[in-house]
Amino acid sequence: MQVFKVYFQIIKNNIPILMIYITVFIGISMAFSTSGQSSDIAEFTESRAPVAFINDDNDSALIKGLMEYAGEKSTIVEVEDNQEALQDALFFREVEYIIRIPAGFTERFMNGEATALEKTSIPNSTSGIYMEMILNNFLNSANHYIKYVNGITQEELVAKVTTDLTKETEVVISDYESGVANGSGMAFFFNFAAYPVIIILIFGITSFMLVFNDTLKKQRTLCSPISHSRLSMETLLANLSFTVIVWAIMLTASFVMLGKELLSINGLLWAINLFIVAIVGLSISFLIGSLIKNKNAQSAVANTFTLGLAFLSGCFVPQSLLNEAVLSVGRFLPTYWYVRASDEIGKLKSFGWESLQPVIFSYLIQIGFAAALICIALVITRQVRSGSVRQA
Amino acid sequence: MFSHIFMYNLKTIFRNRPAIFWTLIYPIVLSTLFYFAFSNLVNAESFEPVGIAVAESSELAAETGFYSALASVSDIDGTAEKEDIFRIQTVSQEEAEELLKNGNIAAYIFYDDGIKLAVADSGFGQTIAKIFIDDYLQASSTIHTILSDNPQAADQGLITDLAQRKEYLTQASDSASSPDTTVIYFYALLAMTCLMGSTVAVEEIIKLQANMSPLASRVNLVPVAKFRVFLYNICATILFQMVVILLVLAYLMFALQIDFGAKTGFILLTCLISCITGVFFGTTVSVGFKNTGIKYAITIGGTMLSCFLAGLMVVDMKYIIQESAPIIGYISPANLITDAFYSLYYYDGLSRYFENIILLVAYSVVMCVVTCLVMRRKKYASI
């Protein structure tokens, strides 16, 4: 197993660079997991938008009541009241809706005069529509009391409105067969995982190929007592072992990040999907390895190619947020089908043939891509070999 | 002498293919990918009417008030308007269940001893549907309470009043133009391009350290003061880097139509200062460490880490740093560069912009002085 040993010796020398990608991956997925929230569907939870209140009026009972109600329906974020801090908070979506209560609001409102709160929001955003419903509900209801109940005080008003607003619709959760709780979040993690898997495979495998395809070393290897078929077999075995190792490392990382939830059929399907994309990565690496000639080209090609694959197929930005033109290009990339399968798995709640079909279909397309890439690489290596023989 | 050294050094740099790739081609490819991936991101926030279903039943049909409230915000009355909140399918209970199961609708409304909502998931669409029904139930409760307090209210027009909802929110006059978060990615990318110049600068110092390269041994023998050679080489590096940055900037501004705001002069100033910062970052690292691998690892690693903290990979990172560890924001050069572009784009005033620029200039001066002090009077008696 000389070739096999040399293979892993080369991989070992490249461990620092491979570690970079694993670290970056874990760092970024942790940054995402803290910023994104999981939606557990054991019971219906209302979505909340982050909002900021700035009160230029006095702390009247009315305003306290309004803010208390808004606080139940949204997350009130404290933001410093200066233009720059508010603009920053809105820009980075720390708050999505800023409400300024103008001076004299309470007085005018209690007298039934026309008045309004000032909003600063992201135009036409979902959270904006939601907040407007909430605030208008409260104020409309309050306005009716003022109009029809003479001499009502602010305290009475708030008490009555708050009582009315406790009337809530009963929400029934249609729970279908069990799936994973945070399917879309986990799917996102796996979508992202394709990037480190592919780039690590490319760096590892092409490093080996750069050494073994070097003309002088190759000629020396060819006149050694190792038969050509043995050389190929050992290389193939080493490539597969490396792929399995990378897959296992990523799978371990996913267990650490996502926990026990992965011990489910969904988890199994994701693991299979990740393995298939690793095989695709192997075939891509094989192709790149047979094309490049030196280390400079290696890192340039590996980085741009993998980033291209990842961006255009939705590994970083979910496919649902990509525009149609990008998606139609993405369909010609194997990773597009990987992400598609992964998203489907996240949504799976039943595991009959009908619901599994799209996942299996995406698996098969990826395998098709891998086979095609290996064929192309074999044609290229054959041509290079016959070319070098002619040269010699 | 200046023109000779300057010109030949410039030629050497322009023929350095990996340098051209990483400082010019790579940012252009990456920005193109950003552009394609993020082009739809802003639209994703915008509100789309929520798809729901109404499961028909005789009890629900009896709630005429509910139907008319629903009609005013949806297409159930057959007229789809732009301001609608819901898109409604009227179906049977079984069909509604099927639609929900397949994820075609966010929720459906049905009647079972009161108006109820069925969902399969939590989300904004579902919450909006719930709030809408809540409002209807709450309005009924309001009528009830008012009538018990003031039995004449019905004659005074309470019912018609309830149907007409007032709008209590107006757009604030001083609100900013629609803020597009994705520009930060491109600003951070430009910061990366500027700082990547450090790798070229590392090479420049290696050309002058006699213990690092044969070329430097030869250069150390020339009858020109080393400081001058250094100065001329650095001028060539800065010129190269500036050309690269202007090309990337032009690509971002004209090909990808990224909004940088209108203050073109200040944008160019930022580019120049950032590129000088990047170059002196490289020279400082290069004089500070002996091993070539480590020199590159620190410049590339430092650049990427700094850019990560400035929001190149996850845009929220910039705000997290600004709020929880502002000191990192003031140290990290990529953050200062990104923030300079951001304040030109987003703020009217220039105070925050100049804060960034002054810090960048200060760092450049310090790093330049450090480089010169370390290089100064270095003799290579035996190598």
Side-chain angles (χ1 to χ4, degrees), chain A residues 170-189:
Chain A
E170 198 177 313
V171 178
V172 180
I173 297 184
S174 298
D175 204 2
Y176 306 111
E177 289 167 65
S178 65
V180 281
N182 176 24
S184 62
M186 291 166 76
F188 179 81
F189 178 88

Side-chain angles (χ1 to χ4, degrees), chain B residues 315-327:
Chain B
V315 103
D316 303 324
M317 211 57 214
K318 183 169 165 14
Y319 192 77
I320 295 171
I321 293 292
Q322 185 180 321
E323 290 300 299
S324 52
I327 184 78

Side-chain angles (χ1 to χ4, degrees), chain A residues 284-312:
Chain A
I284 292 172
S285 315
F286 194 52
L287 178 61
I288 292 179
S290 50
L291 288 172
I292 56 169
K293 301 273 182 295
N294 60 52
K295 278 262 170 195
N296 283 331
Q298 181 197 26
S299 63
V301 172
N303 275 298
T304 32
F305 189 80
T306 322
L307 281 174
L309 268 185
F311 267 111
L312 297 179

Side-chain angles (χ1 to χ4, degrees), chain B residues 235-252:
Chain B
C235 285
T237 317
I238 291 174
L239 179 67
F240 163 78
Q241 194 55 26
M242 197 59 201
V243 169
V244 164
I245 289 165
L246 289 181
L247 287 173
V248 175
L249 182 70
Y251 182 74
L252 292 178

Side-chain angles (χ1 to χ4, degrees), chain A residues 19-230:
Chain A
M19 281 308 293
I20 290 177
Y21 289 99
I22 294 187
T23 325
V24 166
F25 166 69
I26 291 176
I28 293 182
S29 41
M30 266 160 64
F32 269 115
S33 65
T34 49
S35 64
Q37 72 263 52
S38 66
S39 58
D40 201 332
I41 189 69
E43 56 182 314
F44 180 75
T45 43
E46 293 186 357
S47 301
R48 301 159 81 88
V51 297
F53 274 94
I54 297 150
N55 189 2
D56 289 341
D57 201 11
N58 49 12
D59 282 330
S60 63
L62 174 74
I63 289 174
K64 273 190 198 146
L66 174 66
M67 283 178 63
E68 203 162 291
Y69 178 62
E72 280 169 28
K73 298 284 174 186
S74 57
T75 311
I76 295 186
V77 180
E78 293 288 334
V79 181
E80 211 183 316
D81 180 18
N82 73 54
Q83 189 67 17
E84 209 170 87
L86 289 172
Q87 270 186 306
D88 275 357
L90 195 64
F91 187 91
F92 289 101
R93 309 295 189 260
E94 179 69 10
V95 301
E96 293 179 15
Y97 205 83
I98 300 171
I99 302 138
R100 185 179 287 277
I101 303 166
F105 175 80
T106 313
E107 201 188 327
R108 279 200 297 278
F109 189 83
M110 289 307 292
N111 292 338
E113 293 167 28
T115 183
L117 305 172
E118 287 173 11
K119 62 169 181 184
T120 307
S121 64
I122 298 147
N124 193 35
S125 61
T126 305
S127 51
I129 301 252
Y130 170 72
M131 276 320 291
E132 265 147 57
M133 287 175 84
I134 300 281
L135 298 168
N136 279 326
N137 277 3
F138 185 96
L139 293 171
N140 270 298
S141 179
N143 186 42
H144 295 311
Y145 281 107
I146 293 170
K147 196 163 171 191
Y148 292 103
V149 182
N150 285 330
I152 191 167
T153 65
Q154 284 189 38
E155 287 74 18
E156 284 167 4
L157 174 66
V158 169
K160 287 195 180 215
V161 172
T162 314
T163 320
D164 285 346
L165 294 181
T166 51
K167 298 266 181 307
E168 292 201 17
T169 318
E170 198 177 313
V171 178
V172 180
I173 297 184
S174 298
D175 204 2
Y176 306 111
E177 289 167 65
S178 65
V180 281
N182 176 24
S184 62
M186 291 166 76
F188 179 81
F189 178 88
F190 278 100
N191 291 349
F192 190 17
Y195 172 72
V197 165
I198 293 177
I199 201 158
I200 288 172
L201 285 171
I202 293 181
F203 265 108
I205 292 170
T206 54
S207 297
F208 169 80
M209 288 174 82
L210 276 177
V211 174
F212 265 64
N213 287 349
D214 178 76
T215 317
L216 290 176
K217 288 195 196 86
K218 193 169 191 171
Q219 286 168 349
R220 175 64 188 83
T221 320
L222 287 177
C223 62
S224 67
I226 290 181
S227 73
H228 196 270
S229 62
R230 177 154 187 118

